[in-house]
mmCIF file with all atom_site columns, all heavy atoms in Angstrom:
data_model
loop_
_atom_site.group_PDB
_atom_site.id
_atom_site.type_symbol
_atom_site.label_atom_id
_atom_site.label_alt_id
_atom_site.label_comp_id
_atom_site.label_asym_id
_atom_site.label_entity_id
_atom_site.label_seq_id
_atom_site.pdbx_PDB_ins_code
_atom_site.Cartn_x
_atom_site.Cartn_y
_atom_site.Cartn_z
_atom_site.occupancy
_atom_site.B_iso_or_equiv
_atom_site.pdbx_formal_charge
_atom_site.auth_seq_id
_atom_site.auth_comp_id
_atom_site.auth_asym_id
_atom_site.auth_atom_id
_atom_site.pdbx_PDB_model_num
ATOM 1   N N   . ALA A 1 354 ? 11.067 157.875 89.356 1.00 96.00 ? 354 ALA A N   1
ATOM 2   C CA  . ALA A 1 354 ? 10.885 158.046 87.910 1.00 96.00 ? 354 ALA A CA  1
ATOM 3   C C   . ALA A 1 354 ? 10.004 156.944 87.336 1.00 96.00 ? 354 ALA A C   1
ATOM 4   O O   . ALA A 1 354 ? 9.140  157.195 86.478 1.00 96.00 ? 354 ALA A O   1
ATOM 5   C CB  . ALA A 1 354 ? 12.247 158.048 87.215 1.00 96.00 ? 354 ALA A CB  1
ATOM 6   N N   . ILE A 1 355 ? 10.199 155.714 87.786 1.00 96.00 ? 355 ILE A N   1
ATOM 7   C CA  . ILE A 1 355 ? 9.405  154.582 87.299 1.00 96.00 ? 355 ILE A CA  1
ATOM 8   C C   . ILE A 1 355 ? 7.932  154.777 87.648 1.00 96.00 ? 355 ILE A C   1
ATOM 9   O O   . ILE A 1 355 ? 7.039  154.601 86.807 1.00 96.00 ? 355 ILE A O   1
ATOM 10  C CB  . ILE A 1 355 ? 9.942  153.265 87.898 1.00 96.00 ? 355 ILE A CB  1
ATOM 11  C CG1 . ILE A 1 355 ? 11.321 152.947 87.299 1.00 96.00 ? 355 ILE A CG1 1
ATOM 12  C CG2 . ILE A 1 355 ? 8.976  152.104 87.637 1.00 96.00 ? 355 ILE A CG2 1
ATOM 13  C CD1 . ILE A 1 355 ? 12.086 151.883 88.059 1.00 96.00 ? 355 ILE A CD1 1
ATOM 14  N N   . ARG A 1 357 ? 6.405  157.567 88.303 1.00 93.00 ? 357 ARG A N   1
ATOM 15  C CA  . ARG A 1 357 ? 5.886  158.728 87.573 1.00 93.00 ? 357 ARG A CA  1
ATOM 16  C C   . ARG A 1 357 ? 5.467  158.337 86.162 1.00 93.00 ? 357 ARG A C   1
ATOM 17  O O   . ARG A 1 357 ? 4.384  158.720 85.687 1.00 93.00 ? 357 ARG A O   1
ATOM 18  C CB  . ARG A 1 357 ? 6.958  159.817 87.535 1.00 93.00 ? 357 ARG A CB  1
ATOM 19  C CG  . ARG A 1 357 ? 6.583  161.061 86.749 1.00 93.00 ? 357 ARG A CG  1
ATOM 20  C CD  . ARG A 1 357 ? 7.744  162.046 86.732 1.00 93.00 ? 357 ARG A CD  1
ATOM 21  N NE  . ARG A 1 357 ? 7.421  163.211 85.913 1.00 93.00 ? 357 ARG A NE  1
ATOM 22  C CZ  . ARG A 1 357 ? 6.746  164.262 86.321 1.00 93.00 ? 357 ARG A CZ  1
ATOM 23  N NH1 . ARG A 1 357 ? 6.316  164.311 87.565 1.00 93.00 ? 357 ARG A NH1 1
ATOM 24  N NH2 . ARG A 1 357 ? 6.490  165.270 85.513 1.00 93.00 ? 357 ARG A NH2 1
ATOM 25  N N   . ASN A 1 358 ? 6.300  157.577 85.470 1.00 93.00 ? 358 ASN A N   1
ATOM 26  C CA  . ASN A 1 358 ? 5.977  157.168 84.106 1.00 93.00 ? 358 ASN A CA  1
ATOM 27  C C   . ASN A 1 358 ? 4.857  156.133 84.064 1.00 93.00 ? 358 ASN A C   1
ATOM 28  O O   . ASN A 1 358 ? 4.057  156.122 83.123 1.00 93.00 ? 358 ASN A O   1
ATOM 29  C CB  . ASN A 1 358 ? 7.231  156.632 83.412 1.00 93.00 ? 358 ASN A CB  1
ATOM 30  C CG  . ASN A 1 358 ? 8.172  157.743 82.978 1.00 93.00 ? 358 ASN A CG  1
ATOM 31  O OD1 . ASN A 1 358 ? 8.037  158.309 81.909 1.00 93.00 ? 358 ASN A OD1 1
ATOM 32  N ND2 . ASN A 1 358 ? 9.130  158.086 83.844 1.00 93.00 ? 358 ASN A ND2 1
ATOM 33  N N   . PHE A 1 573 ? 8.633  172.005 87.368 1.00 90.00 ? 573 PHE A N   1
ATOM 34  C CA  . PHE A 1 573 ? 8.921  170.565 87.305 1.00 90.00 ? 573 PHE A CA  1
ATOM 35  C C   . PHE A 1 573 ? 9.845  170.165 88.446 1.00 90.00 ? 573 PHE A C   1
ATOM 36  O O   . PHE A 1 573 ? 9.630  169.154 89.134 1.00 90.00 ? 573 PHE A O   1
ATOM 37  C CB  . PHE A 1 573 ? 9.558  170.230 85.954 1.00 90.00 ? 573 PHE A CB  1
ATOM 38  C CG  . PHE A 1 573 ? 10.097 168.828 85.848 1.00 90.00 ? 573 PHE A CG  1
ATOM 39  C CD1 . PHE A 1 573 ? 9.240  167.762 85.643 1.00 90.00 ? 573 PHE A CD1 1
ATOM 40  C CD2 . PHE A 1 573 ? 11.454 168.583 85.945 1.00 90.00 ? 573 PHE A CD2 1
ATOM 41  C CE1 . PHE A 1 573 ? 9.737  166.468 85.544 1.00 90.00 ? 573 PHE A CE1 1
ATOM 42  C CE2 . PHE A 1 573 ? 11.962 167.302 85.844 1.00 90.00 ? 573 PHE A CE2 1
ATOM 43  C CZ  . PHE A 1 573 ? 11.100 166.234 85.644 1.00 90.00 ? 573 PHE A CZ  1
ATOM 44  N N   . GLY A 1 596 ? 19.908 158.963 89.712 1.00 96.00 ? 596 GLY A N   1
ATOM 45  C CA  . GLY A 1 596 ? 18.996 157.855 89.435 1.00 96.00 ? 596 GLY A CA  1
ATOM 46  C C   . GLY A 1 596 ? 17.696 158.312 88.809 1.00 96.00 ? 596 GLY A C   1
ATOM 47  O O   . GLY A 1 596 ? 17.215 157.724 87.829 1.00 96.00 ? 596 GLY A O   1
ATOM 48  N N   . PHE A 1 597 ? 17.114 159.386 89.363 1.00 97.00 ? 597 PHE A N   1
ATOM 49  C CA  . PHE A 1 597 ? 15.875 159.904 88.773 1.00 97.00 ? 597 PHE A CA  1
ATOM 50  C C   . PHE A 1 597 ? 16.108 160.405 87.365 1.00 97.00 ? 597 PHE A C   1
ATOM 51  O O   . PHE A 1 597 ? 15.363 160.085 86.438 1.00 97.00 ? 597 PHE A O   1
ATOM 52  C CB  . PHE A 1 597 ? 15.294 161.034 89.628 1.00 97.00 ? 597 PHE A CB  1
ATOM 53  C CG  . PHE A 1 597 ? 14.095 161.678 88.996 1.00 97.00 ? 597 PHE A CG  1
ATOM 54  C CD1 . PHE A 1 597 ? 12.829 161.145 89.171 1.00 97.00 ? 597 PHE A CD1 1
ATOM 55  C CD2 . PHE A 1 597 ? 14.227 162.802 88.173 1.00 97.00 ? 597 PHE A CD2 1
ATOM 56  C CE1 . PHE A 1 597 ? 11.714 161.712 88.560 1.00 97.00 ? 597 PHE A CE1 1
ATOM 57  C CE2 . PHE A 1 597 ? 13.129 163.377 87.554 1.00 97.00 ? 597 PHE A CE2 1
ATOM 58  C CZ  . PHE A 1 597 ? 11.871 162.827 87.751 1.00 97.00 ? 597 PHE A CZ  1
ATOM 59  N N   . ASP A 1 598 ? 17.144 161.217 87.206 1.00 96.00 ? 598 ASP A N   1
ATOM 60  C CA  . ASP A 1 598 ? 17.379 161.850 85.908 1.00 96.00 ? 598 ASP A CA  1
ATOM 61  C C   . ASP A 1 598 ? 17.632 160.824 84.809 1.00 96.00 ? 598 ASP A C   1
ATOM 62  O O   . ASP A 1 598 ? 17.072 160.922 83.708 1.00 96.00 ? 598 ASP A O   1
ATOM 63  C CB  . ASP A 1 598 ? 18.565 162.811 86.001 1.00 96.00 ? 598 ASP A CB  1
ATOM 64  C CG  . ASP A 1 598 ? 18.210 164.119 86.687 1.00 96.00 ? 598 ASP A CG  1
ATOM 65  O OD1 . ASP A 1 598 ? 17.047 164.265 87.096 1.00 96.00 ? 598 ASP A OD1 1
ATOM 66  O OD2 . ASP A 1 598 ? 19.086 164.996 86.810 1.00 96.00 ? 598 ASP A OD2 1
ATOM 67  N N   . VAL A 1 599 ? 18.480 159.845 85.085 1.00 96.00 ? 599 VAL A N   1
ATOM 68  C CA  . VAL A 1 599 ? 18.820 158.845 84.067 1.00 96.00 ? 599 VAL A CA  1
ATOM 69  C C   . VAL A 1 599 ? 17.599 158.008 83.699 1.00 96.00 ? 599 VAL A C   1
ATOM 70  O O   . VAL A 1 599 ? 17.272 157.837 82.514 1.00 96.00 ? 599 VAL A O   1
ATOM 71  C CB  . VAL A 1 599 ? 19.964 157.937 84.561 1.00 96.00 ? 599 VAL A CB  1
ATOM 72  C CG1 . VAL A 1 599 ? 20.166 156.760 83.603 1.00 96.00 ? 599 VAL A CG1 1
ATOM 73  C CG2 . VAL A 1 599 ? 21.253 158.730 84.690 1.00 96.00 ? 599 VAL A CG2 1
ATOM 74  N N   . VAL A 1 600 ? 16.912 157.492 84.689 1.00 96.00 ? 600 VAL A N   1
ATOM 75  C CA  . VAL A 1 600 ? 15.776 156.604 84.418 1.00 96.00 ? 600 VAL A CA  1
ATOM 76  C C   . VAL A 1 600 ? 14.619 157.376 83.789 1.00 96.00 ? 600 VAL A C   1
ATOM 77  O O   . VAL A 1 600 ? 14.004 156.912 82.823 1.00 96.00 ? 600 VAL A O   1
ATOM 78  C CB  . VAL A 1 600 ? 15.331 155.888 85.713 1.00 96.00 ? 600 VAL A CB  1
ATOM 79  C CG1 . VAL A 1 600 ? 14.064 155.059 85.457 1.00 96.00 ? 600 VAL A CG1 1
ATOM 80  C CG2 . VAL A 1 600 ? 16.458 154.990 86.227 1.00 96.00 ? 600 VAL A CG2 1
ATOM 81  N N   . ASN A 1 601 ? 14.329 158.570 84.296 1.00 95.00 ? 601 ASN A N   1
ATOM 82  C CA  . ASN A 1 601 ? 13.223 159.347 83.728 1.00 95.00 ? 601 ASN A CA  1
ATOM 83  C C   . ASN A 1 601 ? 13.518 159.758 82.292 1.00 95.00 ? 601 ASN A C   1
ATOM 84  O O   . ASN A 1 601 ? 12.643 159.725 81.424 1.00 95.00 ? 601 ASN A O   1
ATOM 85  C CB  . ASN A 1 601 ? 12.949 160.584 84.584 1.00 95.00 ? 601 ASN A CB  1
ATOM 86  C CG  . ASN A 1 601 ? 11.584 161.184 84.310 1.00 95.00 ? 601 ASN A CG  1
ATOM 87  O OD1 . ASN A 1 601 ? 10.562 160.520 84.470 1.00 95.00 ? 601 ASN A OD1 1
ATOM 88  N ND2 . ASN A 1 601 ? 11.546 162.431 83.875 1.00 95.00 ? 601 ASN A ND2 1
ATOM 89  N N   . ASP A 1 602 ? 14.766 160.132 82.025 1.00 95.00 ? 602 ASP A N   1
ATOM 90  C CA  . ASP A 1 602 ? 15.115 160.530 80.665 1.00 95.00 ? 602 ASP A CA  1
ATOM 91  C C   . ASP A 1 602 ? 14.980 159.359 79.704 1.00 95.00 ? 602 ASP A C   1
ATOM 92  O O   . ASP A 1 602 ? 14.425 159.510 78.601 1.00 95.00 ? 602 ASP A O   1
ATOM 93  C CB  . ASP A 1 602 ? 16.545 161.070 80.621 1.00 95.00 ? 602 ASP A CB  1
ATOM 94  C CG  . ASP A 1 602 ? 16.875 161.707 79.272 1.00 95.00 ? 602 ASP A CG  1
ATOM 95  O OD1 . ASP A 1 602 ? 16.451 162.848 79.055 1.00 95.00 ? 602 ASP A OD1 1
ATOM 96  O OD2 . ASP A 1 602 ? 17.522 161.053 78.445 1.00 95.00 ? 602 ASP A OD2 1
ATOM 97  N N   . MET A 1 603 ? 15.469 158.195 80.084 1.00 95.00 ? 603 MET A N   1
ATOM 98  C CA  . MET A 1 603 ? 15.401 157.038 79.187 1.00 95.00 ? 603 MET A CA  1
ATOM 99  C C   . MET A 1 603 ? 13.954 156.586 78.960 1.00 95.00 ? 603 MET A C   1
ATOM 100 O O   . MET A 1 603 ? 13.548 156.279 77.835 1.00 95.00 ? 603 MET A O   1
ATOM 101 C CB  . MET A 1 603 ? 16.227 155.883 79.755 1.00 95.00 ? 603 MET A CB  1
ATOM 102 C CG  . MET A 1 603 ? 17.718 156.155 79.782 1.00 95.00 ? 603 MET A CG  1
ATOM 103 S SD  . MET A 1 603 ? 18.398 156.557 78.160 1.00 95.00 ? 603 MET A SD  1
ATOM 104 C CE  . MET A 1 603 ? 19.059 158.201 78.465 1.00 95.00 ? 603 MET A CE  1
ATOM 105 N N   . LEU A 1 604 ? 13.155 156.557 80.018 1.00 94.00 ? 604 LEU A N   1
ATOM 106 C CA  . LEU A 1 604 ? 11.772 156.100 79.864 1.00 94.00 ? 604 LEU A CA  1
ATOM 107 C C   . LEU A 1 604 ? 10.950 157.069 79.023 1.00 94.00 ? 604 LEU A C   1
ATOM 108 O O   . LEU A 1 604 ? 10.058 156.651 78.276 1.00 94.00 ? 604 LEU A O   1
ATOM 109 C CB  . LEU A 1 604 ? 11.126 155.906 81.240 1.00 94.00 ? 604 LEU A CB  1
ATOM 110 C CG  . LEU A 1 604 ? 11.697 154.769 82.097 1.00 94.00 ? 604 LEU A CG  1
ATOM 111 C CD1 . LEU A 1 604 ? 10.915 154.643 83.406 1.00 94.00 ? 604 LEU A CD1 1
ATOM 112 C CD2 . LEU A 1 604 ? 11.680 153.432 81.350 1.00 94.00 ? 604 LEU A CD2 1
ATOM 113 N N   . THR A 1 605 ? 11.233 158.367 79.131 1.00 92.00 ? 605 THR A N   1
ATOM 114 C CA  . THR A 1 605 ? 10.466 159.330 78.336 1.00 92.00 ? 605 THR A CA  1
ATOM 115 C C   . THR A 1 605 ? 10.877 159.314 76.865 1.00 92.00 ? 605 THR A C   1
ATOM 116 O O   . THR A 1 605 ? 10.148 159.830 76.010 1.00 92.00 ? 605 THR A O   1
ATOM 117 C CB  . THR A 1 605 ? 10.628 160.762 78.882 1.00 92.00 ? 605 THR A CB  1
ATOM 118 O OG1 . THR A 1 605 ? 12.021 161.089 78.964 1.00 92.00 ? 605 THR A OG1 1
ATOM 119 C CG2 . THR A 1 605 ? 10.003 160.888 80.263 1.00 92.00 ? 605 THR A CG2 1
ATOM 120 N N   . ARG A 1 606 ? 12.031 158.737 76.559 1.00 91.00 ? 606 ARG A N   1
ATOM 121 C CA  . ARG A 1 606 ? 12.445 158.598 75.154 1.00 91.00 ? 606 ARG A CA  1
ATOM 122 C C   . ARG A 1 606 ? 11.858 157.337 74.515 1.00 91.00 ? 606 ARG A C   1
ATOM 123 O O   . ARG A 1 606 ? 11.811 157.234 73.286 1.00 91.00 ? 606 ARG A O   1
ATOM 124 C CB  . ARG A 1 606 ? 13.972 158.556 75.042 1.00 91.00 ? 606 ARG A CB  1
ATOM 125 C CG  . ARG A 1 606 ? 14.650 159.855 75.400 1.00 91.00 ? 606 ARG A CG  1
ATOM 126 C CD  . ARG A 1 606 ? 16.172 159.743 75.312 1.00 91.00 ? 606 ARG A CD  1
ATOM 127 N NE  . ARG A 1 606 ? 16.825 160.914 75.906 1.00 91.00 ? 606 ARG A NE  1
ATOM 128 C CZ  . ARG A 1 606 ? 17.088 162.035 75.261 1.00 91.00 ? 606 ARG A CZ  1
ATOM 129 N NH1 . ARG A 1 606 ? 16.797 162.146 73.978 1.00 91.00 ? 606 ARG A NH1 1
ATOM 130 N NH2 . ARG A 1 606 ? 17.663 163.053 75.870 1.00 91.00 ? 606 ARG A NH2 1
ATOM 131 N N   . GLN A 1 621 ? 16.901 167.097 76.328 1.00 88.00 ? 621 GLN A N   1
ATOM 132 C CA  . GLN A 1 621 ? 15.991 167.109 77.473 1.00 88.00 ? 621 GLN A CA  1
ATOM 133 C C   . GLN A 1 621 ? 16.768 167.451 78.742 1.00 88.00 ? 621 GLN A C   1
ATOM 134 O O   . GLN A 1 621 ? 17.892 166.998 78.920 1.00 88.00 ? 621 GLN A O   1
ATOM 135 C CB  . GLN A 1 621 ? 15.306 165.740 77.643 1.00 88.00 ? 621 GLN A CB  1
ATOM 136 C CG  . GLN A 1 621 ? 14.475 165.309 76.452 1.00 88.00 ? 621 GLN A CG  1
ATOM 137 C CD  . GLN A 1 621 ? 13.692 164.028 76.700 1.00 88.00 ? 621 GLN A CD  1
ATOM 138 O OE1 . GLN A 1 621 ? 12.704 163.777 76.035 1.00 88.00 ? 621 GLN A OE1 1
ATOM 139 N NE2 . GLN A 1 621 ? 14.115 163.202 77.644 1.00 88.00 ? 621 GLN A NE2 1
ATOM 140 N N   . GLN A 1 623 ? 16.312 167.096 82.843 1.00 91.00 ? 623 GLN A N   1
ATOM 141 C CA  . GLN A 1 623 ? 15.511 166.485 83.890 1.00 91.00 ? 623 GLN A CA  1
ATOM 142 C C   . GLN A 1 623 ? 15.643 167.309 85.172 1.00 91.00 ? 623 GLN A C   1
ATOM 143 O O   . GLN A 1 623 ? 15.709 168.532 85.108 1.00 91.00 ? 623 GLN A O   1
ATOM 144 C CB  . GLN A 1 623 ? 15.948 165.026 84.066 1.00 91.00 ? 623 GLN A CB  1
ATOM 145 C CG  . GLN A 1 623 ? 15.782 164.176 82.805 1.00 91.00 ? 623 GLN A CG  1
ATOM 146 C CD  . GLN A 1 623 ? 14.333 164.046 82.339 1.00 91.00 ? 623 GLN A CD  1
ATOM 147 O OE1 . GLN A 1 623 ? 13.381 164.219 83.115 1.00 91.00 ? 623 GLN A OE1 1
ATOM 148 N NE2 . GLN A 1 623 ? 14.144 163.760 81.058 1.00 91.00 ? 623 GLN A NE2 1
#
Side-chain angles (χ1 to χ4, degrees):
I355 291 165
R357 177 182 177 84
N358 284 274
F573 171 78
F597 175 85
D598 283 1
V599 171
V600 175
N601 198 59
D602 189 78
M603 293 303 120
L604 293 183
T605 54
R606 292 178 191 273
Q621 300 186 158
Q623 300 297 338

